[in-house]
Amino acid sequence: MAVSADPLPSRVADRQIGTSTDTRRQEEGELTDQVRVVIVGAGPAGLVLGNILRARGVDTLVLERNSREYVQNRARAGFLGVHSVRVLTEHGLAGGLLRAGRSHGTCVFRTGEGELTLYYGQLGRGESHVVYPQQDLVTDLVASYLDRGGELRFGVAVTDVDPATGTVRYRDSFGAGEVTGRFVAGCDGGHGVTRQAVPGRPATRDHGVSWLAVLAAAPQSMAAVTYALHDRGFAGHMARGPQVTRYYLQVQADDEPSAWTEERIWTALGERMRVGEYWPLRTGPVTERRIVHLRSAVASRLQHGRLFLAGDAASLISPSAAKGANLAIMAAEVLARGITDVLTRDDERVLAAYSRTCLPRIWRAQEFSHWMIELLHAPAGDDPDIGFRRSLRRARLDSLRDSRAHQDFFAENYVGI
Ligand code: APR
């Protein structure tokens, strides 16, 4: 395997000062030397990895393009599966989510023929989600990483990585610089630079569906995650916090978020959620609206030389089954174990198997997410297969309603990986 077998660099001995810009950086307390693990990106993947490594005494440096305020306020996912909760708990990172997270084990499919309610927390392996907004998790992870003595630089944009040498080049307010890692973790999300340093084309799919992702400053309207299937398009409802609810609306790919006024959003949600037949939505100011194109991409391999990809950098998954953050935490844990084994015991087995361990799990999640996408979205009116696809969708829901085995299978895939 191609990971370096160099003796572990001592942090002090390996400090190298290069250009005059580097000297200035050193004077100002900036880093220009070698660390054992350089982590690109302070999202869930990079921060979970950094936290676990720091707890084991590994020298780490996280480089994050955006500001601390930005990453701690970026509202994204919120549903953590059992595996994620276990990883976070085992590594002392679950204080906030155990205090403020809410257990969630019910989802509803609402159609013109009624509702199908699945108490998935009592199906399958009897496992539920914990709802904990991602920005709160990221805030906790930044604080604990710094408490553990981790080095984290905000406002540093990595420009390229050399997987052979572990050299990471970046730009920050001082100009250009570089740092070398014995290992480099590419945790820079779905549009980052590190994935470009890994050869091979990712397997991609454009699902041909776009959502308007809405955050509303309003309490949840229903007790459960609700998926509304409607000929005008999908609408979704997901709890986030006591006064924050996530809604999704299927929209045209070229829609501008600004074209969706608050009134238009609540009208469309009400229609697709069939509030006339159920109960009204609890409305509130819309605090965020952005268009999400449902796309998937899975790297063909997750390692090249000293570089390892994790999280969205390894695999971009549509939000239809809330898997993105859970996959990020899964990969971060495996990678942390692999790196620690090499550094502490010179044991390369886990690290050498990193791609082989993670890729099948990623593909299982992609498969389930793809199944959800097919279920949730109405074929367009000009789709020649419209009748066939609508009937298939109905058969899928019938199967979920009538078959306990299917319900158990759904529950296992929905909460687990
Ligand atoms: N240099 C430094 N940092 C970068 C660069 C770069 N060139 N490019 C991106 N980043 C940072 C981003 O600013 C972001 O903070 O990398 C971080 C990546 O974080 P996420 O996008 O959250 O990705 P990840 O940690 O893999 O988590 C994936 O969490 O946010 C959800 O929907 C997402 O569910 C998915 C999961």
Side-chain angles (χ1 to χ4, degrees):
M1 111 163 219
V3 292
S4 153
D6 309 337
L8 299 185
S10 131
R11 201 169 171 201
V12 177
D14 283 313
R15 280 185 188 260
Q16 306 163 341
I17 299 179
T19 62
S20 58
T21 313
D22 291 338
T23 311
R24 212 177 82 221
R25 257 201 198 88
Q26 283 263 313
E27 284 162 2
E28 307 238 0
E30 293 293 316
L31 260 179
T32 53
D33 47 353
Q34 291 206 351
V35 287
R36 287 192 188 160
V37 186
V38 181
I39 300 170
V40 185
L47 290 168
V48 169
L49 174 65
N51 267 286
I52 301 177
L53 290 175
R54 280 307 307 150
R56 293 171 183 170
V58 177
D59 190 18
T60 54
L61 166 67
V62 177
L63 300 177
E64 165 57 50
R65 183 175 55 186
N66 285 298
S67 67
R68 181 172 183 171
E69 196 194 0
Y70 177 89
V71 298
Q72 293 189 166
N73 285 295
R74 186 175 37 176
R76 308 278 286 278
F79 273 63
L80 294 169
V82 260
H83 183 80
S84 301
V85 174
R86 180 187 62 71
V87 170
L88 295 169
T89 306
E90 278 179 16
H91 295 284
L93 302 170
L97 78 91
L98 294 177
R99 227 178 7 257
R102 290 181 295 158
S103 175
H104 192 102
T106 314
C107 69
V108 171
F109 295 92
R110 188 180 280 183
T111 71
E113 281 126 40
E115 283 190 335
L116 167 62
T117 302
L118 289 180
Y119 297 98
Y120 63 85
Q122 296 162 35
L123 293 164
R125 301 200 188 98
E127 297 165 338
S128 300
H129 286 110
V130 172
V131 181
Y132 190 57
Q134 187 167 313
Q135 64 272 33
D136 295 344
L137 179 65
V138 166
T139 301
D140 298 347
L141 292 172
V142 169
S144 60
Y145 177 74
L146 296 174
D147 277 353
R148 292 173 186 198
E151 189 125 32
L152 202 170
R153 301 288 161 137
F154 291 101
V156 178
V158 169
T159 49
D160 77 273
V161 175
D162 182 343
T165 58
T167 304
V168 176
R169 297 187 187 84
Y170 58 82
R171 294 196 72 81
D172 61 11
S173 54
F174 298 105
E178 64 180 51
V179 59
T180 301
R182 171 148 179 205
F183 301 106
V184 178
C187 303
D188 47 347
H191 309 284
V193 294
T194 61
R195 66 193 301 171
Q196 292 157 22
V198 174
R201 271 167 54 86
T204 58
R205 177 162 172 93
D206 182 341
H207 298 284
V209 174
S210 301
W211 285 358
L212 181 73
V214 172
L215 271 183
Q220 63 196 80
S221 296
M222 296 151 240
V225 170
T226 302
Y227 301 104
L229 281 55
H230 195 281
D231 288 347
R232 286 191 183 273
F234 162 72
H237 162 277
M238 278 146 220
R240 279 292 181 269
Q243 284 300 323
V244 182
T245 305
R246 168 72 84 195
Y247 287 96
Y248 292 114
L249 273 173
Q250 185 181 353
V251 296
Q252 297 297 319
D254 55 0
D255 274 7
E256 286 295 327
S258 55
W260 283 88
T261 59
E262 292 208 5
E263 193 191 345
R264 189 176 169 208
I265 288 171
W266 291 114
T267 304
L269 284 170
E271 179 185 25
R272 298 182 196 184
M273 298 243 166
R274 299 179 164 87
V275 291
E277 297 161 46
Y278 295 90
W279 45 85
L281 300 175
R282 298 159 93 175
T283 59
V286 168
T287 54
E288 186 198 278
R289 48 165 90 72
R290 67 193 164 88
I291 303 279
V292 181
H293 303 294
L294 271 58
R295 293 196 180 111
S296 295
V298 183
S300 55
R301 50 197 277 196
L302 308 186
Q303 183 233 336
H304 183 49
R306 299 180 182 214
L307 172 63
F308 294 78
L309 304 179
D312 277 10
S315 74
L316 198 56
I317 189 163
S318 86
S320 58
K323 294 287 186 212
N326 293 296
L327 285 176
I329 293 170
M330 180 278 297
E333 193 210 19
V334 177
L335 186 52
R337 197 158 11 107
I339 290 176
T340 315
D341 281 359
V342 173
L343 294 178
T344 58
R345 300 195 274 131
D346 218 10
D347 179 348
E348 293 196 339
R349 282 172 302 175
V350 172
L351 202 55
Y354 178 65
S355 282
R356 257 180 306 158
T357 305
C358 294
L359 279 172
R361 299 179 189 178
I362 289 170
W363 277 110
R364 280 287 302 276
Q366 291 281 358
E367 193 282 323
F368 182 70
S369 171
H370 188 252
W371 181 89
M372 283 287 276
I373 290 169
E374 298 266 306
L375 181 67
L376 300 181
H377 299 100
D382 55 358
D383 186 329
D385 304 331
I386 191 164
F388 184 81
R389 289 186 55 198
R390 284 200 175 142
S391 298
L392 269 192
R393 189 157 85 148
R394 189 179 179 150
R396 281 196 172 134
L397 279 177
D398 287 348
S399 170
L400 253 188
R401 188 193 56 224
D402 298 338
S403 161
R404 172 66 200 243
H406 196 169
Q407 292 172 6
D408 288 333
F409 181 76
F410 173 87
E412 273 181 32
N413 281 275
Y414 195 48
V415 190
I417 292 175

